[in-house]
């Protein structure tokens, strides 16, 4: 590559213009368990970090099949960023199969992105399998609150700095710049949803409590009776009746959820289904962590009108 072109590319990349694309001078090979964490790692890592993800955006991230191709991704990785709180417990089996001790719990290349995040819905009593897929450490869908990104990216930068100490300042600068952009965007999202403050919605799976709480909306019920288990007819009948009585207009569904069932519940309750992106890549055009909220905020505001 001609020197001048290299110089221009380097300058653009340090300005954060060239966010996408495979960085030629990457010093760290990172893998994130989910697409949200991949995007956040890219945003703070810039051209210094090459990032891959284990789960795809169109997958239900609770439930990813452990395949040899995923283990291959981890074999040469310097850093693994996991969601934690048992959302991505399957990632542990991938690590076990990858034979890369750096990525084991407590290893130099291991980042638990949930460390320090204020966790919602931590169960008070005992949790057992009869309750469905209840997460004993609390609701794991914290990346859907943009405010948690400050903590999550601090954890990521700490991990990146452990494996590439010379680049600490670059990571910290990029993180500050990203949080600045995120803060401005969050003010915009808050404004868009302001008119619907206090609105009650029903969700398919209990993925949205962080998102709804951040923007002043309320979760009135869930289609899933117990997480991860098909709902009983009695539960659905009660839910439909409640939606009619409370005039609930919107049912939030993830692209991986049961569309037919959601449509049936919404129809009987005179409500509508809105499909939101549960993670980056879940819906066409949602390619970054900022896109995720742009899309979800606008789609939800449109549905609540
Ligand atoms: Zn869940």
């Amino acid at each position: 590559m001609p020197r001048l072109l290299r110089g221009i590319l380097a300058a653009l990349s340090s300005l954060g213009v060239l966010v996408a694309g495979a960085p030629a001078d990457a010093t760290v090979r990172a893998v994130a368990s989910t697409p949200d964490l991949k995007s956040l790692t890219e945003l703070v890592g810039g051209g210094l970090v090459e990032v891959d993800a284990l789960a795809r955006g169109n997958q239900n991230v609770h439930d990813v099949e452990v395949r040899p191709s995923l283990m291959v991704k981890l074999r040469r990785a310097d850093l693994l960023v996991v969601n934690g709180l048992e959302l991505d417990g399957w990632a542990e089996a991938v690590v076990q199969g990858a034979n890369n001790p750096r990525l084991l719990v407590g290893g130099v290349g291991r980042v638990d992105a949930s460390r320090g995040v204020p966790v919602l819905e931590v169960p008070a009593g005992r949790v057992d399998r009869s309750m469905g897929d209840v997460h004993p450490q609390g609701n794991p869908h914290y990346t859907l609150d943009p405010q948690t990104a400050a903590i999550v990216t601090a954890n990521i930068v700490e991990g990146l700095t452990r494996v590439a100490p010379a680049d600490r300042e670059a990571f910290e600068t990029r993180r500050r710049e990203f949080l600045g952009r995120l803060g401005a965007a969050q003010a915009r999202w808050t404004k868009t949803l302001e008119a619907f403050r206090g609105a009650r919605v029903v969700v398919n799976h209990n993925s949205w409590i962080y998102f709804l709480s951040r923007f002043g909306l309320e979760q009135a019920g869930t289609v899933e009776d117990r997480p991860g288990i098909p709902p009983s007819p009695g539960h659905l009948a009660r839910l439909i009746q409640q939606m009619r009585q409370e005039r609930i207009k919107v049912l939030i569904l993830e692209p991986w959820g049961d569309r037919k069932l959601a449509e049936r519940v919404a129809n009987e309750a005179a409500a509508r289904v809105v499909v939101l992106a549960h993670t980056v890549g879940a819906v066409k055009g949602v390619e970054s962590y900022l896109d995720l909220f742009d899309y979800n905020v606008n789609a939800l505001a449109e549905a609540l009108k």
Side-chain angles (χ1 to χ4, degrees):
M1 198 187 299
R3 262 177 74 179
L4 180 63
L5 182 57
R6 274 184 83 103
I8 292 169
L9 287 176
L12 287 173
S13 141
S14 71
L15 286 170
V17 175
L18 297 177
V19 171
D25 302 319
T27 55
V28 179
R29 283 183 300 256
V31 176
S33 63
T34 72
D36 284 0
L37 295 174
K38 172 177 186 260
S39 179
L40 288 168
T41 306
E42 279 168 348
L43 285 158
V44 296
L48 298 169
V49 183
E50 194 186 312
V51 196
D52 203 347
L54 295 178
R56 294 187 307 273
N58 60 359
Q59 279 180 309
N60 173 355
V61 282
H62 302 84
D63 207 10
V64 170
E65 198 193 332
V66 176
R67 283 173 290 121
S69 61
L70 298 184
M71 295 171 190
V72 170
K73 289 186 187 202
L74 292 191
R75 202 150 288 162
R76 291 175 63 239
D78 304 304
L79 197 74
L80 170 66
V81 183
V82 298
N83 186 89
L85 305 179
E86 298 193 3
L87 177 74
D88 48 0
W90 46 266
E92 214 41 65
V94 182
V95 174
Q96 295 302 331
N99 194 25
N100 181 347
R102 282 174 297 188
L103 308 185
L104 294 171
V105 175
V108 66
R110 176 69 166 241
V111 174
D112 180 344
S114 74
R115 212 190 53 193
V117 168
V119 179
L120 301 178
E121 299 182 335
V122 181
R126 218 171 62 83
V127 170
D128 65 62
R129 297 307 292 175
S130 73
M131 298 155 79
D133 249 340
V134 169
H135 300 286
Q137 297 171 42
N139 191 308
H141 300 283
Y142 58 84
T143 55
L144 287 169
D145 172 2
Q147 201 125 309
T148 64
I151 299 166
V152 171
T153 54
N155 289 333
I156 293 171
V157 165
E158 204 185 299
L160 286 170
T161 302
R162 271 199 310 272
V163 297
D167 294 323
R168 154 174 252 145
E169 219 160 293
F171 298 139
E172 283 175 353
T173 303
R174 288 191 62 95
R175 173 173 176 265
R176 273 195 302 276
E177 283 166 1
F178 164 64
L179 291 178
R181 274 183 290 150
L182 181 70
Q186 194 181 321
R188 204 172 66 231
W189 300 325
T190 303
K191 205 167 159 224
T192 303
L193 288 174
E194 191 92 290
F196 310 105
R197 194 155 272 276
R200 287 164 69 73
V201 299
V202 162
V203 302
N204 173 61
H205 173 78
N206 195 0
S207 315
W208 301 98
I209 197 70
Y210 290 89
F211 178 80
L212 296 172
S213 309
R214 175 57 55 206
F215 294 107
L217 300 157
E218 280 176 40
Q219 179 172 306
T222 57
V223 173
E224 284 186 348
D225 188 354
R226 294 171 290 174
I229 294 177
S232 68
H235 170 73
L236 292 178
R238 282 190 297 277
L239 180 68
I240 291 163
Q241 193 187 21
Q242 181 199 358
M243 288 172 76
R244 283 210 196 108
Q245 271 168 2
E246 297 183 12
R247 295 175 194 281
I248 289 165
K249 290 287 158 234
V250 168
L251 191 166
I252 298 176
L253 179 71
E254 307 78 12
W256 57 261
D258 185 341
R259 175 94 199 207
K260 243 188 182 158
L261 176 65
E263 292 285 1
R264 182 161 74 75
V265 170
N267 276 343
E268 288 186 33
R272 59 186 289 195
V273 172
V274 58
V275 175
L276 298 186
H278 62 288
T279 187
V280 170
V283 165
K284 217 172 162 223
V286 175
E287 280 161 18
S288 74
Y289 193 69
L290 292 167
D291 291 348
L292 179 68
F293 296 98
D294 274 333
Y295 181 87
N296 286 345
V297 164
N298 291 330
L300 186 57
E302 193 57 41
L304 284 166
K305 256 182 202 164

